[in-house]
Amino acid sequence: MRAPFATVAMLLFTSAAASADPLTCNLSDYRPAAGLTATVANDALTVTWDGDSGQQVRLRMTVMSGVPTIAELAVRPQRGDWKAVATGVTPDYRVVSGVRRVTEQQLQPLRGLKVELTKELIDSIKWDAFWDAPLNTEPLENTRMGAIPPPKGLLDQPALPRKPEEIKRATATYAARGCDVKTNGAGLEVSFDGVQLGLLNGRLQYSIYRGTNLIEQEVIAKTDVDSVAYKYEGGLKGLRIDASSRVAWRDVSKIWQDYRFGGAPNTDIVPLRAQNRLVVAGGAGGSLGAFPPPHNFFSSREVSFNQGYVYYRKDGASSYSFGVRQPEAESNPEDMGRGAEDTRQNFALRSARPGTWQRMPVYLYVSATPADGAARGALTFTRDDRFKPLPGYQVMATHFHSALVGRLRRQGGSLDVRLNDFDVVKAAGVNIFAPIDGSGIGFGLPREDRLKTLADYYEVAKRHSDKNFLIMPNEEGAPGGIGRQNELLVSKP
């Protein structure tokens, strides 16, 4: 059976290369190395490298009508034959942008200090806004947390309400004229110019890491437009549908789920609330995982529920797409009793200061194994999303707005109900969980009940702490004039 498979794979590649644009690659910064080589022939760039666990990976790139195209992504297991995991796929990027504004929260302390609010000052601090929501065009009633009209004399500063026409949506277009291949340490960077992504323009880059099956695909772009805040979606499209095709992911209960493309085509992407921010595309040749960076992918938010950071999309009867996504607004699966501020007023997005390079990566992990094997390989880069313990130390995580007492009271009042917060942080390797609820002020509980609320807060901590898990009942912005943005580590009730 090996010869027919190899013949089909070669025919697919030959057909793609035959209609490809002429490809010129600049190799002046490329240095051949053992276990990582790049060659250009027949209008295709081929990069081959040693992966993990004795495997080899091969990436063949062409340009089709200006679009950088993965003609073939293949993996060869130890003592095995090459398996084509993806052929003829292209990058899939979309961006949504709005207007970045300074917020009243930033300006209040400056007014108190009698600082002159010049345009230069406003322009310098607006990029650090926390209580901003550039994609929310609903009227804001709470101006302390929302963006504000311009101070007197600053007529150039955008005012509220936000307008629908401020929001711009775009899909990436490509006009690649060639590629650049550059050695970077033990890795390799392959970049294609001519990317336009809404208000941003720049290049598409693939980073190869010798010794792993990991590939980083990213758009690196900048804008000269002021006050741009944005979010992106990125992945691959053109993945082929056949009898073995599927996408798989673990849900928030860590149970494997899959979709095998038996339904009608999708109009939009299908967001997945996947464990570990990971989705895997699989077929007869192997599997390919997609996941975002574990940290800088996320912009400022007040609450941290799983919003669905990966997606798939059935584009037709013969092809599909998959990748990573950033949502446009908070969507709480649990009512924390904090009002509309969490769902409408605080979703700040990423800041694109004029002239700065913005990086929009999606990580791809290729494997000759089914979906669970690709998932295991991808999760080695985040230690299965667990903190690394240090000998002689405990792992502490703090500053959580958990509203423990208020939520328990709304569920019937028993302090013995186990909230899922405890299981989530323990699963991440945390030994000391330190919420900052204090008396619960701001979580729907009246101030006059402060002492009773504190007593319940401490009691919850006592009942749900364990020999290997401590709940430390801390407090943010305690009474006494210290100020709001502080954190008191309470040694004892």
Side-chain angles (χ1 to χ4, degrees):
M1 296 299 291
R2 291 179 179 176
F5 177 82
T7 301
V8 171
M10 182 56 68
L11 287 173
L12 288 172
F13 172 67
T14 303
S15 175
S19 58
D21 300 349
L23 181 65
T24 301
C25 287
N26 176 12
L27 299 174
S28 60
D29 291 325
Y30 163 66
R31 302 291 179 267
L36 177 59
T37 60
T39 58
V40 179
N42 300 321
D43 295 322
L45 168 70
T46 301
V47 182
T48 305
W49 69 98
D50 292 340
D52 51 43
S53 304
Q55 302 173 85
Q56 282 188 303
V57 186
R58 184 172 66 198
L59 174 66
R60 284 175 173 158
M61 299 289 304
T62 61
V63 175
M64 310 284 287
S65 301
V67 181
T69 301
I70 297 177
E72 181 196 48
L73 176 59
V75 60
R76 178 163 62 183
Q78 193 173 23
R79 297 183 298 276
D81 296 327
W82 286 106
K83 295 184 177 182
V85 177
T87 57
V89 299
T90 56
D92 185 29
Y93 275 90
R94 290 167 297 282
V95 70
V96 181
S97 63
V99 175
R100 169 67 74 235
R101 288 174 167 86
V102 73
T103 64
E104 179 67 12
Q105 183 192 44
Q106 295 172 281
L107 297 181
Q108 277 182 350
L110 297 177
R111 290 196 185 98
L113 295 171
K114 310 298 183 184
V115 174
E116 182 182 1
L117 299 179
T118 64
K119 184 179 186 304
E120 290 72 22
L121 176 61
I122 297 297
D123 284 342
S124 68
I125 67 174
K126 68 184 179 185
W127 300 107
D128 301 317
F130 179 72
W131 289 106
D132 195 14
L135 304 183
N136 175 28
T137 58
E138 299 179 37
L140 298 183
E141 299 176 357
N142 189 342
T143 58
R144 180 184 72 81
M145 296 181 179
I148 65 163
K152 185 177 181 181
L154 298 180
L155 298 181
D156 293 333
Q157 183 65 21
L160 290 178
R162 299 181 181 94
K163 302 176 177 60
E165 56 267 28
E166 295 175 1
I167 300 174
K168 303 183 184 301
R169 302 177 183 275
T171 299
T173 60
Y174 305 91
R177 295 165 293 184
C179 72
D180 287 279
V181 182
K182 177 182 178 181
T183 297
N184 185 358
L188 199 68
E189 295 175 351
V190 179
S191 60
F192 300 85
D193 62 358
V195 177
Q196 187 71 42
L197 186 53
L199 300 174
L200 300 111
N201 60 83
R203 67 186 188 273
L204 175 74
Q205 180 170 295
Y206 291 88
S207 296
I208 309 301
Y209 303 98
R210 185 178 60 186
T212 79
N213 293 21
L214 187 71
I215 304 169
E216 181 183 16
Q217 173 187 281
E218 61 181 336
V219 167
I220 304 173
K222 61 183 178 180
T223 181
D224 294 325
V225 178
D226 192 20
S227 303
V228 173
Y230 75 100
K231 50 135 313 197
Y232 76 93
E233 299 166 352
L236 294 173
K237 65 180 178 180
L239 292 146
R240 297 180 181 179
I241 296 176
D242 58 29
S244 63
S245 299
R246 67 169 181 153
V247 286
W249 66 98
R250 287 193 300 181
D251 62 24
V252 293
S253 300
K254 298 187 179 182
I255 303 299
W256 277 103
Q257 307 289 346
D258 70 7
Y259 176 68
R260 304 190 180 213
F261 303 103
N266 302 117
T267 303
D268 300 311
I269 64 171
V270 180
L272 303 174
R273 294 182 186 268
Q275 187 82 14
N276 308 116
R277 312 160 305 284
L278 173 65
V279 60
V280 183
S287 54
L288 183 63
F291 56 101
H295 300 297
N296 61 9
F297 183 71
F298 301 97
S299 56
S300 296
R301 294 164 57 191
E302 181 70 2
V303 294
S304 297
F305 294 108
N306 188 329
Q307 299 296 296
Y309 303 112
V310 291
Y311 71 89
Y312 73 83
R313 183 184 65 232
K314 183 178 181 181
D315 297 316
S318 60
S319 70
Y320 69 97
S321 308
F322 86 135
V324 305
R325 66 179 290 270
Q326 295 170 321
E328 297 189 16
E330 200 73 63
S331 175
N332 298 353
E334 179 182 355
D335 177 18
M336 293 180 66
R338 300 192 63 185
E341 66 185 54
D342 288 338
T343 57
R344 297 193 303 114
Q345 296 185 17
N346 180 27
F347 214 79
L349 308 185
R350 299 156 68 100
S351 290
R353 294 173 172 85
T356 61
W357 290 106
Q358 303 297 308
R359 307 183 79 106
M360 290 162 265
V362 51
Y363 286 97
L364 304 168
Y365 184 89
V366 59
S367 174
T369 65
D372 57 343
R376 285 195 303 270
L379 288 174
T380 60
F381 296 96
T382 61
R383 291 184 300 273
D384 291 331
D385 283 359
R386 288 181 61 87
F387 288 98
K388 182 178 180 179
L390 297 176
Y393 291 87
Q394 302 297 324
V395 178
M396 175 177 171
T398 186
H399 208 99
F400 292 96
H401 295 284
S402 299
L404 301 180
V405 175
R407 289 161 62 197
L408 289 173
R409 289 180 181 174
R410 284 191 292 275
Q411 293 183 33
S414 173
L415 302 183
D416 293 313
V417 173
R418 185 178 179 85
L419 297 173
N420 59 7
D421 306 48
F422 310 147
D423 299 326
V424 169
V425 295
K426 284 186 70 176
V430 173
N431 304 106
I432 303 176
F433 174 48
I436 53 169
D437 296 350
S439 65
I441 295 172
F443 293 80
L445 302 178
R447 290 177 179 269
E448 55 268 23
D449 290 345
R450 173 174 171 79
L451 291 180
K452 176 62 169 66
T453 300
L454 283 174
D456 286 347
Y457 187 32
Y458 300 142
E459 188 62 26
V460 169
K462 291 177 182 178
R463 296 189 190 185
H464 296 283
S465 293
D466 201 354
K467 293 178 180 179
N468 61 349
F469 183 66
L470 173 67
I471 300 174
M472 179 183 286
N474 299 327
E475 185 163 3
E476 178 188 32
I482 300 176
R484 284 286 304 166
Q485 207 59 35
N486 61 77
E487 187 169 331
L488 299 182
L489 307 184
V490 184
S491 61
K492 62 178 67 177

